[in-house]
Amino acid sequence: MSERSETVSVEQSRPGERLDTYLRSIFQAVSRGAIRRLIEEGHIKVNGRVVKPTHSPRAGEEITVHWPEARPAEARPEQMPLEILFEDKDLLVLNKAPGIVVHPAAGNQEHTLVNALLHHCKGELSGIGGVARPGIVHRRDKDTSGCLVVAKNDATHQALAEQFAARSLEKIYLAIVCGEMARASGEIRAAIARHPTHRKRMAVNEDDGREARTTYRVIERLTSATLVEAVLHTGRTHQIRVHFQHLGFPIAGDDVYARRQTARLKELTGYAAPRQLLHAHKLKFTHPRTGRKLALEAPWPADFQEALRALRKS
């Protein structure tokens, strides 16, 4: 990412809002933590002054944001197989394999998707995500397979992030859930927040949670399980996993939200799910540079097909 500066004019005072939170709502491709670090390092100033991240924006203030040149990526390029569904000079869309960690973190410094992307793209990835996540525009759990879009430059990254924030993309998933669903289709509207005691989990929380909406339809009823298609209308962490657990039909193989139900499924059918059976099947969005509508589809993974063979009613 090359060095550049931007200016934001505050039109309305926000007495109850922090500066880092306010800027996160404007620069949606950048994490709040990254913005906070830029403020603390003096790269973001208000009326020419260094302030704290807790500063509340006031009407008439001019916020100058200096984007420093990205440091070289800390992850090392690795030659790894990638299933590419679409690629041009601005972006690529992958069919992510299950079991692959997306970006380096403690305990996973090698063999991640970022390592493979650094090799494939020869370092030409957007820098907005920071040195740990070059090119990564949106989240994908380790055990979730399917469509994942990657930005090769900052302009593309920002434009894609805006589409995610505006919910103008279409995100369609396939899931095999525990239990036989009676309803043919439905909608789940349930706010999601961090679990109050288990900090690595999310939970439905209508008081403190953020709005979350998922619609679904049953594709096939299986033995003690159901194959569903789910459309993600918002993008909360673990949204589909939490919503289907809340509905009483958690995703088979989910060690966080469906351990007991997955064990019961094995008792009833003899089938042991190898991972959470969730697949990002289709992704539709507008190409930021060309304006072309792209519709990508990730083929069904082998373990999904194996699960269907094992659970189909005779």
Side-chain angles (χ1 to χ4, degrees):
M1 183 168 80
S2 58
E3 292 197 19
R4 57 190 174 90
S5 296
E6 297 182 63
T7 301
V8 175
S9 298
V10 182
E11 297 180 357
Q12 181 179 350
S13 295
R14 298 173 178 266
E17 188 170 10
R18 295 165 53 110
L19 178 61
D20 53 0
T21 304
Y22 172 68
L23 291 177
R24 174 68 177 83
S25 69
I26 297 172
F27 302 106
Q28 295 172 349
V30 189
S31 70
R32 179 177 160 185
I35 290 174
R36 185 172 62 248
R37 287 192 298 274
L38 290 175
I39 296 172
E40 293 170 346
E41 293 170 2
H43 295 292
I44 296 177
K45 297 180 180 179
V46 177
N47 291 342
R49 298 182 297 107
V50 175
V51 297
K52 294 182 178 180
T54 54
H55 172 83
S56 295
R58 302 184 183 94
E61 289 181 333
E62 295 284 326
I63 303 170
T64 303
V65 182
H66 172 69
W67 303 105
E69 186 174 358
R71 291 173 287 153
E74 295 174 352
R76 295 181 179 179
E78 290 184 51
Q79 186 170 4
M80 297 168 57
L82 293 173
E83 185 178 348
I84 297 173
L85 304 174
F86 174 87
E87 182 175 16
D88 64 9
K89 68 179 183 180
D90 298 301
L91 59 89
L92 67 152
V93 179
L94 306 169
N95 180 15
K96 177 193 168 296
I100 301 295
V101 175
V102 172
H103 58 81
N108 289 295
Q109 295 296 330
E110 299 178 334
H111 315 314
T112 72
L113 192 59
V114 162
N115 295 110
L117 288 169
L118 287 170
H119 178 272
H120 176 80
C121 298
K122 298 178 173 57
E124 293 183 0
L125 294 167
S126 70
I128 289 177
V131 296
R133 311 182 185 196
I136 303 301
V137 181
H138 59 127
R139 296 182 295 265
R140 183 72 72 238
D141 295 331
K142 172 185 175 182
D143 287 331
T144 299
S145 55
C147 294
L148 180 74
V149 63
V150 176
K152 292 185 177 182
N153 54 66
D154 292 350
T156 299
H157 194 137
Q158 183 72 42
L160 287 170
E162 289 171 0
Q163 289 188 50
F164 275 97
R167 304 172 186 173
S168 60
L169 297 89
E170 186 172 345
K171 298 168 284 185
I172 301 175
Y173 288 72
L174 294 172
I176 296 177
V177 301
C178 297
E180 298 183 30
M181 300 182 74
R183 294 186 60 181
S185 62
E187 177 183 65
I188 310 167
R189 283 184 179 268
I192 293 175
R194 185 71 56 183
H195 194 285
T197 56
H198 301 284
R199 302 308 295 169
K200 292 186 177 181
R201 297 179 59 176
M202 307 300 288
V204 167
N205 185 326
E206 296 295 350
D207 295 326
D208 301 321
R210 300 176 68 190
E211 173 202 6
R213 175 177 173 241
T214 306
T215 55
Y216 69 89
R217 67 181 182 92
V218 170
I219 297 176
E220 184 178 354
R221 291 183 173 87
L222 309 166
T223 303
S224 301
T226 309
L227 172 65
V228 298
E229 178 185 88
V231 179
L232 207 60
H233 298 278
T234 51
R236 307 305 175 211
T237 301
H238 296 178
Q239 179 173 319
I240 292 179
R241 298 164 66 189
V242 172
H243 269 178
F244 277 96
Q245 180 206 36
H246 178 66
L247 206 62
F249 299 93
I251 294 173
D254 191 333
D255 283 341
V256 176
Y257 300 103
R259 184 168 295 179
R260 177 176 56 83
Q261 295 91 336
T262 298
R264 179 60 176 162
L265 180 64
K266 183 179 179 181
E267 288 178 10
L268 293 172
T269 66
Y271 172 73
R275 51 110 174 178
Q276 63 194 34
L277 294 175
L278 181 62
H279 179 65
H281 186 43
K282 298 178 182 179
L283 180 64
K284 300 179 182 180
F285 62 96
T286 301
H287 192 290
R289 181 174 55 82
T290 67
R292 174 187 168 194
K293 299 290 185 180
L294 296 178
L296 288 309
E297 182 173 319
W300 294 49
D303 55 5
F304 248 75
Q305 298 182 45
E306 181 181 340
L308 292 174
R309 286 193 292 269
L311 296 171
R312 276 189 170 125
K313 297 179 179 180
S314 56

mmCIF file of all heavy atoms in Angstrom, residues 86-130:
data_model
loop_
_atom_site.group_PDB
_atom_site.id
_atom_site.type_symbol
_atom_site.label_atom_id
_atom_site.label_comp_id
_atom_site.label_asym_id
_atom_site.label_seq_id
_atom_site.Cartn_x
_atom_site.Cartn_y
_atom_site.Cartn_z
ATOM 1 N N PHE A 86 -12.045 -17.370 -10.278
ATOM 2 C CA PHE A 86 -11.960 -16.170 -11.120
ATOM 3 C C PHE A 86 -10.717 -15.390 -10.719
ATOM 4 O O PHE A 86 -10.375 -15.328 -9.539
ATOM 5 C CB PHE A 86 -13.201 -15.288 -10.940
ATOM 6 C CG PHE A 86 -13.112 -13.963 -11.666
ATOM 7 C CD1 PHE A 86 -13.503 -13.862 -12.990
ATOM 8 C CD2 PHE A 86 -12.618 -12.830 -11.020
ATOM 9 C CE1 PHE A 86 -13.404 -12.640 -13.659
ATOM 10 C CE2 PHE A 86 -12.516 -11.613 -11.690
ATOM 11 C CZ PHE A 86 -12.914 -11.522 -13.015
ATOM 12 N N GLU A 87 -10.056 -14.783 -11.716
ATOM 13 C CA GLU A 87 -8.903 -13.945 -11.398
ATOM 14 C C GLU A 87 -8.670 -12.930 -12.506
ATOM 15 O O GLU A 87 -8.793 -13.241 -13.691
ATOM 16 C CB GLU A 87 -7.633 -14.797 -11.214
ATOM 17 C CG GLU A 87 -6.406 -13.968 -10.837
ATOM 18 C CD GLU A 87 -5.176 -14.804 -10.527
ATOM 19 O OE1 GLU A 87 -5.161 -16.010 -10.898
ATOM 20 O OE2 GLU A 87 -4.223 -14.266 -9.925
ATOM 21 N N ASP A 88 -8.359 -11.687 -12.110
ATOM 22 C CA ASP A 88 -7.871 -10.676 -13.034
ATOM 23 C C ASP A 88 -6.861 -9.821 -12.278
ATOM 24 O O ASP A 88 -6.392 -10.219 -11.211
ATOM 25 C CB ASP A 88 -9.014 -9.855 -13.651
ATOM 26 C CG ASP A 88 -9.786 -9.023 -12.629
ATOM 27 O OD1 ASP A 88 -9.345 -8.932 -11.462
ATOM 28 O OD2 ASP A 88 -10.826 -8.456 -12.984
ATOM 29 N N LYS A 89 -6.515 -8.658 -12.794
ATOM 30 C CA LYS A 89 -5.459 -7.850 -12.181
ATOM 31 C C LYS A 89 -5.893 -7.197 -10.868
ATOM 32 O O LYS A 89 -5.047 -6.701 -10.112
ATOM 33 C CB LYS A 89 -4.974 -6.783 -13.150
ATOM 34 C CG LYS A 89 -5.993 -5.697 -13.466
ATOM 35 C CD LYS A 89 -5.400 -4.670 -14.417
ATOM 36 C CE LYS A 89 -6.378 -3.520 -14.696
ATOM 37 N NZ LYS A 89 -5.781 -2.526 -15.614
ATOM 38 N N ASP A 90 -7.203 -7.195 -10.574
ATOM 39 C CA ASP A 90 -7.706 -6.531 -9.376
ATOM 40 C C ASP A 90 -8.038 -7.474 -8.230
ATOM 41 O O ASP A 90 -7.899 -7.111 -7.060
ATOM 42 C CB ASP A 90 -8.969 -5.727 -9.716
ATOM 43 C CG ASP A 90 -8.696 -4.635 -10.728
ATOM 44 O OD1 ASP A 90 -7.849 -3.775 -10.431
ATOM 45 O OD2 ASP A 90 -9.304 -4.647 -11.812
ATOM 46 N N LEU A 91 -8.503 -8.667 -8.552
ATOM 47 C CA LEU A 91 -8.988 -9.561 -7.498
ATOM 48 C C LEU A 91 -8.972 -11.000 -7.967
ATOM 49 O O LEU A 91 -8.779 -11.289 -9.146
ATOM 50 C CB LEU A 91 -10.401 -9.154 -7.071
ATOM 51 C CG LEU A 91 -11.499 -9.156 -8.145
ATOM 52 C CD1 LEU A 91 -12.183 -10.518 -8.254
ATOM 53 C CD2 LEU A 91 -12.542 -8.093 -7.852
ATOM 54 N N LEU A 92 -9.174 -11.898 -7.027
ATOM 55 C CA LEU A 92 -9.412 -13.294 -7.370
ATOM 56 C C LEU A 92 -10.413 -13.879 -6.399
ATOM 57 O O LEU A 92 -10.551 -13.399 -5.266
ATOM 58 C CB LEU A 92 -8.127 -14.114 -7.389
ATOM 59 C CG LEU A 92 -7.362 -14.357 -6.094
ATOM 60 C CD1 LEU A 92 -6.590 -15.667 -6.195
ATOM 61 C CD2 LEU A 92 -6.372 -13.228 -5.829
ATOM 62 N N VAL A 93 -11.124 -14.890 -6.845
ATOM 63 C CA VAL A 93 -12.073 -15.605 -6.000
ATOM 64 C C VAL A 93 -11.633 -17.058 -5.956
ATOM 65 O O VAL A 93 -11.419 -17.682 -6.999
ATOM 66 C CB VAL A 93 -13.516 -15.482 -6.519
ATOM 67 C CG1 VAL A 93 -14.466 -16.258 -5.608
ATOM 68 C CG2 VAL A 93 -13.941 -14.023 -6.611
ATOM 69 N N LEU A 94 -11.494 -17.577 -4.734
ATOM 70 C CA LEU A 94 -11.019 -18.945 -4.530
ATOM 71 C C LEU A 94 -12.146 -19.837 -4.042
ATOM 72 O O LEU A 94 -13.095 -19.369 -3.415
ATOM 73 C CB LEU A 94 -9.920 -18.963 -3.462
ATOM 74 C CG LEU A 94 -8.710 -18.058 -3.640
ATOM 75 C CD1 LEU A 94 -7.907 -18.054 -2.351
ATOM 76 C CD2 LEU A 94 -7.859 -18.537 -4.784
ATOM 77 N N ASN A 95 -11.990 -21.119 -4.292
ATOM 78 C CA ASN A 95 -12.778 -22.130 -3.598
ATOM 79 C C ASN A 95 -11.876 -22.637 -2.483
ATOM 80 O O ASN A 95 -10.999 -23.471 -2.701
ATOM 81 C CB ASN A 95 -13.177 -23.265 -4.539
ATOM 82 C CG ASN A 95 -13.996 -24.325 -3.828
ATOM 83 O OD1 ASN A 95 -14.498 -24.112 -2.722
ATOM 84 N ND2 ASN A 95 -14.135 -25.478 -4.461
ATOM 85 N N LYS A 96 -12.075 -22.072 -1.286
ATOM 86 C CA LYS A 96 -11.224 -22.434 -0.149
ATOM 87 C C LYS A 96 -11.514 -23.868 0.296
ATOM 88 O O LYS A 96 -12.665 -24.253 0.497
ATOM 89 C CB LYS A 96 -11.460 -21.472 1.013
ATOM 90 C CG LYS A 96 -10.665 -21.811 2.275
ATOM 91 C CD LYS A 96 -11.177 -21.026 3.458
ATOM 92 C CE LYS A 96 -10.605 -21.543 4.766
ATOM 93 N NZ LYS A 96 -11.019 -22.935 5.090
ATOM 94 N N ALA A 97 -10.460 -24.625 0.458
ATOM 95 C CA ALA A 97 -10.600 -26.003 0.938
ATOM 96 C C ALA A 97 -10.850 -26.004 2.444
ATOM 97 O O ALA A 97 -10.361 -25.133 3.160
ATOM 98 C CB ALA A 97 -9.336 -26.798 0.621
ATOM 99 N N PRO A 98 -11.589 -26.987 2.952
ATOM 100 C CA PRO A 98 -11.785 -27.063 4.406
ATOM 101 C C PRO A 98 -10.472 -27.409 5.098
ATOM 102 O O PRO A 98 -9.611 -28.074 4.531
ATOM 103 C CB PRO A 98 -12.812 -28.197 4.557
ATOM 104 C CG PRO A 98 -12.652 -29.028 3.323
ATOM 105 C CD PRO A 98 -12.290 -28.065 2.234
ATOM 106 N N GLY A 99 -10.332 -26.923 6.328
ATOM 107 C CA GLY A 99 -9.141 -27.239 7.125
ATOM 108 C C GLY A 99 -7.980 -26.292 6.916
ATOM 109 O O GLY A 99 -6.946 -26.427 7.578
ATOM 110 N N ILE A 100 -8.120 -25.321 6.007
ATOM 111 C CA ILE A 100 -7.054 -24.369 5.740
ATOM 112 C C ILE A 100 -7.298 -23.088 6.539
ATOM 113 O O ILE A 100 -8.359 -22.472 6.438
ATOM 114 C CB ILE A 100 -6.967 -24.018 4.237
ATOM 115 C CG1 ILE A 100 -6.705 -25.279 3.410
ATOM 116 C CG2 ILE A 100 -5.887 -22.971 3.983
ATOM 117 C CD1 ILE A 100 -5.371 -25.921 3.674
ATOM 118 N N VAL A 101 -6.312 -22.683 7.342
ATOM 119 C CA VAL A 101 -6.397 -21.425 8.082
ATOM 120 C C VAL A 101 -6.194 -20.281 7.084
ATOM 121 O O VAL A 101 -5.328 -20.358 6.217
ATOM 122 C CB VAL A 101 -5.330 -21.376 9.191
ATOM 123 C CG1 VAL A 101 -5.318 -20.019 9.883
ATOM 124 C CG2 VAL A 101 -5.574 -22.482 10.211
ATOM 125 N N VAL A 102 -6.980 -19.215 7.196
ATOM 126 C CA VAL A 102 -6.907 -18.137 6.219
ATOM 127 C C VAL A 102 -5.659 -17.296 6.378
ATOM 128 O O VAL A 102 -4.950 -17.019 5.410
ATOM 129 C CB VAL A 102 -8.168 -17.248 6.291
ATOM 130 C CG1 VAL A 102 -8.009 -15.998 5.414
ATOM 131 C CG2 VAL A 102 -9.388 -18.039 5.849
ATOM 132 N N HIS A 103 -5.352 -16.852 7.585
ATOM 133 C CA HIS A 103 -4.199 -15.960 7.766
ATOM 134 C C HIS A 103 -3.368 -16.392 8.968
ATOM 135 O O HIS A 103 -3.864 -17.036 9.895
ATOM 136 C CB HIS A 103 -4.647 -14.502 7.927
ATOM 137 C CG HIS A 103 -5.591 -14.290 9.081
ATOM 138 N ND1 HIS A 103 -5.171 -14.164 10.378
ATOM 139 C CD2 HIS A 103 -6.935 -14.189 9.115
ATOM 140 C CE1 HIS A 103 -6.214 -14.003 11.174
ATOM 141 N NE2 HIS A 103 -7.292 -14.013 10.432
ATOM 142 N N PRO A 104 -2.074 -16.038 8.970
ATOM 143 C CA PRO A 104 -1.194 -16.427 10.078
ATOM 144 C C PRO A 104 -1.666 -15.852 11.403
ATOM 145 O O PRO A 104 -2.190 -14.744 11.478
ATOM 146 C CB PRO A 104 0.167 -15.840 9.678
ATOM 147 C CG PRO A 104 0.094 -15.662 8.208
ATOM 148 C CD PRO A 104 -1.341 -15.318 7.919
ATOM 149 N N ALA A 105 -1.467 -16.626 12.450
ATOM 150 C CA ALA A 105 -1.775 -16.204 13.814
ATOM 151 C C ALA A 105 -0.921 -17.063 14.740
ATOM 152 O O ALA A 105 -0.161 -17.914 14.272
ATOM 153 C CB ALA A 105 -3.264 -16.374 14.114
ATOM 154 N N ALA A 106 -1.042 -16.824 16.017
ATOM 155 C CA ALA A 106 -0.259 -17.610 16.970
ATOM 156 C C ALA A 106 -0.542 -19.096 16.774
ATOM 157 O O ALA A 106 -1.690 -19.522 16.786
ATOM 158 C CB ALA A 106 -0.618 -17.196 18.395
ATOM 159 N N GLY A 107 0.497 -19.865 16.535
ATOM 160 C CA GLY A 107 0.350 -21.297 16.318
ATOM 161 C C GLY A 107 0.127 -21.681 14.873
ATOM 162 O O GLY A 107 0.144 -22.863 14.533
ATOM 163 N N ASN A 108 -0.105 -20.695 14.010
ATOM 164 C CA ASN A 108 -0.326 -20.976 12.583
ATOM 165 C C ASN A 108 0.415 -19.943 11.733
ATOM 166 O O ASN A 108 -0.187 -19.082 11.111
ATOM 167 C CB ASN A 108 -1.830 -20.930 12.247
ATOM 168 C CG ASN A 108 -2.599 -22.098 12.814
ATOM 169 O OD1 ASN A 108 -2.386 -23.233 12.431
ATOM 170 N ND2 ASN A 108 -3.482 -21.809 13.738
ATOM 171 N N GLN A 109 1.713 -20.018 11.711
ATOM 172 C CA GLN A 109 2.522 -19.067 10.953
ATOM 173 C C GLN A 109 2.783 -19.544 9.532
ATOM 174 O O GLN A 109 3.182 -18.747 8.678
ATOM 175 C CB GLN A 109 3.860 -18.827 11.669
ATOM 176 C CG GLN A 109 3.731 -18.144 13.020
ATOM 177 C CD GLN A 109 3.170 -16.737 12.917
ATOM 178 O OE1 GLN A 109 3.363 -16.037 11.933
ATOM 179 N NE2 GLN A 109 2.453 -16.308 13.946
ATOM 180 N N GLU A 110 2.569 -20.818 9.278
ATOM 181 C CA GLU A 110 2.852 -21.382 7.964
ATOM 182 C C GLU A 110 1.639 -22.145 7.443
ATOM 183 O O GLU A 110 0.706 -22.446 8.178
ATOM 184 C CB GLU A 110 4.062 -22.331 8.040
ATOM 185 C CG GLU A 110 5.342 -21.652 8.494
ATOM 186 C CD GLU A 110 6.497 -22.640 8.601
ATOM 187 O OE1 GLU A 110 6.222 -23.839 8.816
ATOM 188 O OE2 GLU A 110 7.654 -22.211 8.463
ATOM 189 N N HIS A 111 1.681 -22.441 6.144
ATOM 190 C CA HIS A 111 0.666 -23.264 5.484
ATOM 191 C C HIS A 111 -0.731 -22.636 5.554
ATOM 192 O O HIS A 111 -1.740 -23.356 5.571
ATOM 193 C CB HIS A 111 0.638 -24.673 6.076
ATOM 194 C CG HIS A 111 1.990 -25.292 6.274
ATOM 195 N ND1 HIS A 111 2.973 -25.262 5.299
ATOM 196 C CD2 HIS A 111 2.535 -25.934 7.345
ATOM 197 C CE1 HIS A 111 4.053 -25.872 5.759
ATOM 198 N NE2 HIS A 111 3.814 -26.274 6.984
ATOM 199 N N THR A 112 -0.813 -21.305 5.606
ATOM 200 C CA THR A 112 -2.101 -20.632 5.597
ATOM 201 C C THR A 112 -2.431 -20.183 4.181
ATOM 202 O O THR A 112 -1.572 -20.195 3.292
ATOM 203 C CB THR A 112 -2.119 -19.408 6.526
ATOM 204 O OG1 THR A 112 -1.321 -18.357 5.941
ATOM 205 C CG2 THR A 112 -1.579 -19.743 7.906
ATOM 206 N N LEU A 113 -3.667 -19.740 4.002
ATOM 207 C CA LEU A 113 -4.075 -19.250 2.693
ATOM 208 C C LEU A 113 -3.261 -18.018 2.293
ATOM 209 O O LEU A 113 -2.914 -17.845 1.125
ATOM 210 C CB LEU A 113 -5.568 -18.923 2.706
ATOM 211 C CG LEU A 113 -6.224 -18.665 1.350
ATOM 212 C CD1 LEU A 113 -6.084 -19.873 0.440
ATOM 213 C CD2 LEU A 113 -7.690 -18.303 1.545
ATOM 214 N N VAL A 114 -2.942 -17.166 3.261
ATOM 215 C CA VAL A 114 -2.133 -15.979 2.963
ATOM 216 C C VAL A 114 -0.755 -16.383 2.444
ATOM 217 O O VAL A 114 -0.240 -15.772 1.503
ATOM 218 C CB VAL A 114 -2.016 -15.075 4.211
ATOM 219 C CG1 VAL A 114 -0.852 -14.088 4.069
ATOM 220 C CG2 VAL A 114 -3.319 -14.310 4.434
ATOM 221 N N ASN A 115 -0.145 -17.404 3.030
ATOM 222 C CA ASN A 115 1.146 -17.883 2.531
ATOM 223 C C ASN A 115 1.033 -18.276 1.057
ATOM 224 O O ASN A 115 1.897 -17.935 0.237
ATOM 225 C CB ASN A 115 1.627 -19.091 3.344
ATOM 226 C CG ASN A 115 1.927 -18.758 4.793
ATOM 227 O OD1 ASN A 115 1.187 -19.195 5.684
ATOM 228 N ND2 ASN A 115 2.973 -18.007 5.052
ATOM 229 N N ALA A 116 -0.045 -18.979 0.730
ATOM 230 C CA ALA A 116 -0.241 -19.418 -0.653
ATOM 231 C C ALA A 116 -0.511 -18.235 -1.582
ATOM 232 O O ALA A 116 -0.013 -18.194 -2.712
ATOM 233 C CB ALA A 116 -1.404 -20.412 -0.713
ATOM 234 N N LEU A 117 -1.270 -17.250 -1.107
ATOM 235 C CA LEU A 117 -1.580 -16.077 -1.934
ATOM 236 C C LEU A 117 -0.345 -15.232 -2.200
ATOM 237 O O LEU A 117 -0.171 -14.690 -3.299
ATOM 238 C CB LEU A 117 -2.652 -15.233 -1.240
ATOM 239 C CG LEU A 117 -4.062 -15.822 -1.224
ATOM 240 C CD1 LEU A 117 -4.961 -15.040 -0.288
ATOM 241 C CD2 LEU A 117 -4.648 -15.859 -2.626
ATOM 242 N N LEU A 118 0.529 -15.098 -1.198
ATOM 243 C CA LEU A 118 1.762 -14.331 -1.393
ATOM 244 C C LEU A 118 2.617 -14.952 -2.498
ATOM 245 O O LEU A 118 3.260 -14.244 -3.272
ATOM 246 C CB LEU A 118 2.548 -14.258 -0.085
ATOM 247 C CG LEU A 118 1.961 -13.337 0.986
ATOM 248 C CD1 LEU A 118 2.686 -13.547 2.311
ATOM 249 C CD2 LEU A 118 2.034 -11.876 0.559
ATOM 250 N N HIS A 119 2.608 -16.278 -2.578
ATOM 251 C CA HIS A 119 3.360 -16.956 -3.636
ATOM 252 C C HIS A 119 2.659 -16.786 -4.977
ATOM 253 O O HIS A 119 3.285 -16.413 -5.977
ATOM 254 C CB HIS A 119 3.507 -18.443 -3.312
ATOM 255 C CG HIS A 119 4.238 -19.216 -4.371
ATOM 256 N ND1 HIS A 119 3.579 -19.786 -5.446
ATOM 257 C CD2 HIS A 119 5.559 -19.495 -4.523
ATOM 258 C CE1 HIS A 119 4.468 -20.389 -6.220
ATOM 259 N NE2 HIS A 119 5.671 -20.229 -5.683
ATOM 260 N N HIS A 120 1.353 -17.032 -4.991
ATOM 261 C CA HIS A 120 0.612 -16.992 -6.259
ATOM 262 C C HIS A 120 0.592 -15.581 -6.858
ATOM 263 O O HIS A 120 0.768 -15.417 -8.076
ATOM 264 C CB HIS A 120 -0.821 -17.476 -6.039
ATOM 265 C CG HIS A 120 -1.684 -17.383 -7.258
ATOM 266 N ND1 HIS A 120 -1.632 -18.327 -8.273
ATOM 267 C CD2 HIS A 120 -2.606 -16.451 -7.652
ATOM 268 C CE1 HIS A 120 -2.474 -17.985 -9.219
ATOM 269 N NE2 HIS A 120 -3.076 -16.854 -8.878
ATOM 270 N N CYS A 121 0.373 -14.576 -6.021
ATOM 271 C CA CYS A 121 0.248 -13.193 -6.503
ATOM 272 C C CYS A 121 1.582 -12.444 -6.488
ATOM 273 O O CYS A 121 1.613 -11.255 -6.820
ATOM 274 C CB CYS A 121 -0.767 -12.436 -5.658
ATOM 275 S SG CYS A 121 -2.432 -13.123 -5.718
ATOM 276 N N LYS A 122 2.639 -13.140 -6.084
ATOM 277 C CA LYS A 122 3.975 -12.534 -6.030
ATOM 278 C C LYS A 122 3.964 -11.226 -5.242
ATOM 279 O O LYS A 122 4.583 -10.226 -5.613
ATOM 280 C CB LYS A 122 4.517 -12.315 -7.445
ATOM 281 C CG LYS A 122 4.693 -13.615 -8.223
ATOM 282 C CD LYS A 122 5.172 -13.371 -9.634
ATOM 283 C CE LYS A 122 5.501 -14.695 -10.337
ATOM 284 N NZ LYS A 122 4.359 -15.626 -10.365
ATOM 285 N N GLY A 123 3.249 -11.258 -4.117
ATOM 286 C CA GLY A 123 3.219 -10.109 -3.221
ATOM 287 C C GLY A 123 2.268 -9.010 -3.608
ATOM 288 O O GLY A 123 2.102 -8.034 -2.872
ATOM 289 N N GLU A 124 1.593 -9.122 -4.756
ATOM 290 C CA GLU A 124 0.685 -8.066 -5.209
ATOM 291 C C GLU A 124 -0.691 -8.257 -4.572
ATOM 292 O O GLU A 124 -1.628 -8.763 -5.189
ATOM 293 C CB GLU A 124 0.596 -8.063 -6.729
ATOM 294 C CG GLU A 124 1.898 -7.655 -7.409
ATOM 295 C CD GLU A 124 1.773 -7.581 -8.924
ATOM 296 O OE1 GLU A 124 0.658 -7.843 -9.420
ATOM 297 O OE2 GLU A 124 2.764 -7.272 -9.588
ATOM 298 N N LEU A 125 -0.792 -7.838 -3.325
ATOM 299 C CA LEU A 125 -2.040 -7.934 -2.587
ATOM 300 C C LEU A 125 -2.276 -6.611 -1.869
ATOM 301 O O LEU A 125 -1.331 -5.880 -1.570
ATOM 302 C CB LEU A 125 -1.963 -9.073 -1.553
ATOM 303 C CG LEU A 125 -1.845 -10.496 -2.111
ATOM 304 C CD1 LEU A 125 -1.458 -11.459 -1.007
ATOM 305 C CD2 LEU A 125 -3.155 -10.926 -2.754
ATOM 306 N N SER A 126 -3.543 -6.306 -1.566
ATOM 307 C CA SER A 126 -3.839 -5.052 -0.877
ATOM 308 C C SER A 126 -3.201 -5.056 0.503
ATOM 309 O O SER A 126 -3.025 -6.105 1.130
ATOM 310 C CB SER A 126 -5.358 -4.863 -0.749
ATOM 311 O OG SER A 126 -5.898 -5.793 0.161
ATOM 312 N N GLY A 127 -2.862 -3.866 0.983
ATOM 313 C CA GLY A 127 -2.223 -3.739 2.296
ATOM 314 C C GLY A 127 -3.154 -3.310 3.394
ATOM 315 O O GLY A 127 -2.756 -3.235 4.551
ATOM 316 N N ILE A 128 -4.428 -3.030 3.067
ATOM 317 C CA ILE A 128 -5.352 -2.506 4.063
ATOM 318 C C ILE A 128 -5.535 -3.470 5.226
ATOM 319 O O ILE A 128 -5.675 -3.066 6.369
ATOM 320 C CB ILE A 128 -6.712 -2.171 3.409
ATOM 321 C CG1 ILE A 128 -6.554 -0.934 2.520
ATOM 322 C CG2 ILE A 128 -7.790 -1.921 4.447
ATOM 323 C CD1 ILE A 128 -7.801 -0.546 1.765
ATOM 324 N N GLY A 129 -5.544 -4.749 4.944
ATOM 325 C CA GLY A 129 -5.761 -5.731 6.007
ATOM 326 C C GLY A 129 -4.612 -5.854 6.974
ATOM 327 O O GLY A 129 -4.710 -6.556 7.980
ATOM 328 N N GLY A 130 -3.487 -5.174 6.712
ATOM 329 C CA GLY A 130 -2.328 -5.266 7.587
ATOM 330 C C GLY A 130 -1.397 -6.369 7.144
ATOM 331 O O GLY A 130 -1.705 -7.171 6.262
#
